Structures are given as C-alpha cells and as structure tokens.
Amino acid sequence: MAGREDEVRGLKNRLSPLQFHVTQEKGTEPPFRNRYCRSDDDGSYRCICCGAVLFASDDKYHSGSGWPSFSRPAEEDGVEERPDDSHGMRRTEVVCSSCGAHLGHVFEDGPEPTGLRYCINSAALDFEPEKE
C-alpha cells in the first residue's frame, strides 16, 4: 500500500491541481477552455502521468463538445474502457492502460470509420509535436 501512496504523493507534487483532479479523482475540465480543444498541430498525445502514447493527431477532430475528440486510440491496447454509472447516467470511461489514469469517456456518436468519439480531457494529456 505504501507504494501506491508514494506514487500518488509524487503525482500530486508533479501535476497541476487540475491534472491531478482529472487523472486521479476522475474529474473533468471546463469545456472549450482547455489546452487542446482547438489544437490542429501534428503529433502524439501522451498520458500526462506516465508518458504512454494514447492518441495521434491524425485521429483528432472537432466534435463541438468542448474537449479534444479522437476517433480511435493510437494503439488498440493503449487505453482501457470501463463502465461508468456516475452522475445518474451510463457512460464508458477511458483510462490509460499503462497507469490507470482517468482520461475521459468514449461515445458512439463519432465519425466513420469507427463511429466513436473519445472525448478526452486536455489536462490528462501531454502533446509531443511531430519531429520534422
């Protein structure tokens, strides 16, 4: 148990209060006022906690939801999906497969070919620009 406590303490010291709230307490950030909502830069989106590659800019699109949206993860096993019955509704939570950080939710109202919308908090992500 001490290992997890040390890990959480380390994250609390390293992350901003919003990043910690989103990733460790399953929080959310305000819509439209977050770092990557309107970003169109080419590169990879990594987990803010562990650095795992989660999403690629090629799969990012503007959904109008107020959060960065992706049609699929960069790698099939890069994220886990879990049932979420909080807030009086049935949703599917998305977490980082490597460290379990809460990222956001996935919905079945996205564009083809997947039909999915991974609605992800910017606070859970770190952007790595494509190298030229």
Side-chain angles (χ1 to χ4, degrees):
M1 189 69 163
R4 175 68 181 148
E5 289 173 6
D6 290 343
E7 181 183 333
V8 169
R9 192 173 13 263
L11 286 172
K12 202 164 204 165
N13 290 333
R14 187 169 56 84
L15 301 177
S16 74
L18 178 61
Q19 290 169 330
F20 186 85
H21 175 63
V22 166
T23 62
Q24 305 304 303
E25 301 171 333
K26 299 184 181 191
T28 193
E29 64 195 356
F32 301 104
R33 295 179 305 187
N34 53 71
R35 188 172 183 182
Y36 302 122
C37 178
R38 293 177 179 88
S39 173
D40 288 322
D41 296 336
D42 292 334
S44 300
Y45 292 86
R46 295 178 169 272
C47 177
I48 196 72
C49 295
C50 73
V53 175
L54 301 172
F55 299 96
S57 59
D58 289 346
D59 298 313
K60 187 175 184 294
Y61 67 98
H62 296 283
S63 68
S65 67
W67 292 274
S69 296
F70 303 88
S71 58
R72 71 177 118 232
E75 300 292 329
E76 193 172 308
D77 60 354
V79 300
E80 281 181 35
E81 298 178 11
R82 300 177 178 169
D84 177 3
D85 294 324
S86 64
H87 304 290
M89 63 184 106
R90 179 85 177 182
R91 299 181 293 175
T92 303
E93 178 188 17
V94 179
V95 301
C96 174
S97 291
S98 296
C99 71
H102 172 79
L103 305 172
H105 293 86
V106 62
F107 302 94
E108 294 180 352
D109 61 0
E112 293 303 325
T114 66
L116 298 175
R117 173 173 53 100
Y118 286 84
C119 188
I120 306 299
N121 289 283
S122 289
L125 301 172
D126 188 26
F127 181 72
E128 180 179 351
E130 198 171 272
K131 294 186 178 35
E132 295 183 20

